[in-house]
Short mmCIF file of all heavy atoms in Angstrom, two decimals:
data_model
loop_
_atom_site.label_atom_id
_atom_site.label_comp_id
_atom_site.label_asym_id
_atom_site.label_seq_id
_atom_site.Cartn_x
_atom_site.Cartn_y
_atom_site.Cartn_z
N GLU S 64 3.21 7.44 -4.83
CA GLU S 64 1.87 7.96 -4.66
C GLU S 64 1.17 7.28 -3.47
O GLU S 64 0.52 7.98 -2.72
CB GLU S 64 0.99 7.72 -5.94
CG GLU S 64 1.43 8.43 -7.18
CD GLU S 64 2.62 7.70 -7.86
OE1 GLU S 64 2.85 6.54 -7.71
OE2 GLU S 64 3.41 8.44 -8.54
N MET S 65 1.30 6.05 -3.28
CA MET S 65 0.79 5.34 -2.18
C MET S 65 1.42 5.78 -0.84
O MET S 65 0.74 5.92 0.15
CB MET S 65 0.94 3.82 -2.33
CG MET S 65 0.12 3.26 -3.49
SD MET S 65 0.60 1.58 -3.83
CE MET S 65 0.24 0.67 -2.34
N ALA S 66 2.69 6.09 -0.93
CA ALA S 66 3.48 6.47 0.24
C ALA S 66 2.99 7.73 0.81
O ALA S 66 3.09 7.98 2.02
CB ALA S 66 4.95 6.55 -0.09
N GLU S 67 2.46 8.64 0.00
CA GLU S 67 1.87 9.86 0.47
C GLU S 67 0.56 9.70 1.24
O GLU S 67 0.18 10.39 2.19
CB GLU S 67 1.65 10.80 -0.71
CG GLU S 67 2.87 11.28 -1.31
CD GLU S 67 2.61 12.24 -2.48
OE1 GLU S 67 1.39 12.61 -2.70
OE2 GLU S 67 3.57 12.49 -3.28
N LYS S 68 -0.17 8.54 0.86
CA LYS S 68 -1.52 8.36 1.44
C LYS S 68 -1.49 7.38 2.60
O LYS S 68 -2.39 7.48 3.46
CB LYS S 68 -2.43 7.77 0.36
CG LYS S 68 -2.70 8.68 -0.83
CD LYS S 68 -3.48 8.09 -1.88
CE LYS S 68 -3.67 9.05 -3.04
NZ LYS S 68 -4.33 8.46 -4.18
N ILE S 69 -0.55 6.48 2.65
CA ILE S 69 -0.56 5.44 3.71
C ILE S 69 -0.55 5.98 5.12
O ILE S 69 -1.27 5.47 6.01
CB ILE S 69 0.63 4.47 3.43
CG1 ILE S 69 0.37 3.58 2.30
CG2 ILE S 69 0.96 3.65 4.73
CD1 ILE S 69 1.55 2.74 1.86
N PRO S 70 0.21 6.98 5.41
CA PRO S 70 0.17 7.50 6.80
C PRO S 70 -1.17 7.97 7.24
O PRO S 70 -1.64 7.66 8.42
CB PRO S 70 1.21 8.69 6.81
CG PRO S 70 2.13 8.36 5.71
CD PRO S 70 1.29 7.74 4.68
N TYR S 71 -1.88 8.64 6.38
CA TYR S 71 -3.19 9.20 6.66
C TYR S 71 -4.24 8.15 6.74
O TYR S 71 -5.16 8.18 7.55
CB TYR S 71 -3.55 10.30 5.67
CG TYR S 71 -2.54 11.39 5.88
CD1 TYR S 71 -1.48 11.56 4.90
CD2 TYR S 71 -2.48 12.29 6.96
CE1 TYR S 71 -0.52 12.52 4.97
CE2 TYR S 71 -1.50 13.20 7.09
CZ TYR S 71 -0.55 13.26 6.12
OH TYR S 71 0.45 14.29 6.27
N THR S 72 -4.10 7.08 5.89
CA THR S 72 -4.98 5.87 6.00
C THR S 72 -4.87 5.27 7.34
O THR S 72 -5.81 4.87 7.93
CB THR S 72 -4.69 4.93 4.85
OG1 THR S 72 -4.86 5.59 3.57
CG2 THR S 72 -5.52 3.70 4.91
N MET S 73 -3.59 5.11 7.77
CA MET S 73 -3.34 4.45 9.05
C MET S 73 -3.87 5.39 10.20
O MET S 73 -4.54 4.87 11.05
CB MET S 73 -1.87 4.25 9.27
CG MET S 73 -1.45 3.54 10.55
SD MET S 73 -2.22 1.84 10.68
CE MET S 73 -1.01 0.79 9.85
N LEU S 74 -3.56 6.64 10.18
CA LEU S 74 -4.09 7.50 11.18
C LEU S 74 -5.55 7.55 11.31
O LEU S 74 -6.13 7.38 12.42
CB LEU S 74 -3.57 8.95 10.94
CG LEU S 74 -3.96 10.08 11.99
CD1 LEU S 74 -3.37 9.78 13.35
CD2 LEU S 74 -3.63 11.43 11.46
N ASP S 75 -6.20 7.60 10.20
CA ASP S 75 -7.70 7.58 10.17
C ASP S 75 -8.27 6.22 10.68
O ASP S 75 -9.26 6.29 11.47
CB ASP S 75 -8.28 7.76 8.77
CG ASP S 75 -8.10 9.20 8.27
OD1 ASP S 75 -7.69 10.07 9.07
OD2 ASP S 75 -8.21 9.41 7.05
N SER S 76 -7.63 5.21 10.31
CA SER S 76 -8.02 3.81 10.79
C SER S 76 -7.81 3.69 12.28
O SER S 76 -8.72 3.12 13.02
CB SER S 76 -7.36 2.75 9.98
OG SER S 76 -7.55 2.83 8.62
N VAL S 77 -6.69 4.05 12.75
CA VAL S 77 -6.42 4.01 14.23
C VAL S 77 -7.39 4.84 14.90
O VAL S 77 -7.94 4.44 16.01
CB VAL S 77 -4.93 4.39 14.51
CG1 VAL S 77 -4.75 4.71 15.98
CG2 VAL S 77 -3.96 3.37 14.01
N ASN S 78 -7.69 6.03 14.46
CA ASN S 78 -8.63 6.88 15.23
C ASN S 78 -10.01 6.37 15.17
O ASN S 78 -10.77 6.55 16.11
CB ASN S 78 -8.53 8.37 14.66
CG ASN S 78 -7.30 9.08 15.29
OD1 ASN S 78 -6.91 8.76 16.34
ND2 ASN S 78 -6.75 9.99 14.51
N SER S 79 -10.38 5.70 14.10
CA SER S 79 -11.76 5.10 14.03
C SER S 79 -11.81 3.92 15.08
O SER S 79 -12.82 3.87 15.83
CB SER S 79 -12.00 4.52 12.67
OG SER S 79 -12.15 5.55 11.69
N LEU S 80 -10.79 3.23 15.21
CA LEU S 80 -10.73 2.09 16.19
C LEU S 80 -10.78 2.67 17.54
O LEU S 80 -11.45 2.22 18.47
CB LEU S 80 -9.57 1.21 15.94
CG LEU S 80 -9.51 0.41 14.72
CD1 LEU S 80 -8.12 -0.18 14.44
CD2 LEU S 80 -10.52 -0.81 14.80
N ARG S 81 -10.01 3.71 17.78
CA ARG S 81 -9.96 4.32 19.16
C ARG S 81 -11.29 4.90 19.47
O ARG S 81 -11.77 4.79 20.63
CB ARG S 81 -8.80 5.45 19.20
CG ARG S 81 -7.37 4.86 19.13
CD ARG S 81 -6.37 5.90 19.11
NE ARG S 81 -6.36 6.76 20.25
CZ ARG S 81 -5.82 6.51 21.43
NH1 ARG S 81 -5.20 5.42 21.62
NH2 ARG S 81 -5.91 7.42 22.46
#
Side-chain angles (χ1 to χ4, degrees):
E64 295 80 23
M65 293 166 64
E67 291 178 14
K68 296 176 184 173
I69 287 173
Y71 300 102
T72 299
M73 182 61 86
L74 180 65
D75 290 345
S76 299
V77 165
N78 281 331
S79 291
L80 292 166
R81 289 176 60 82

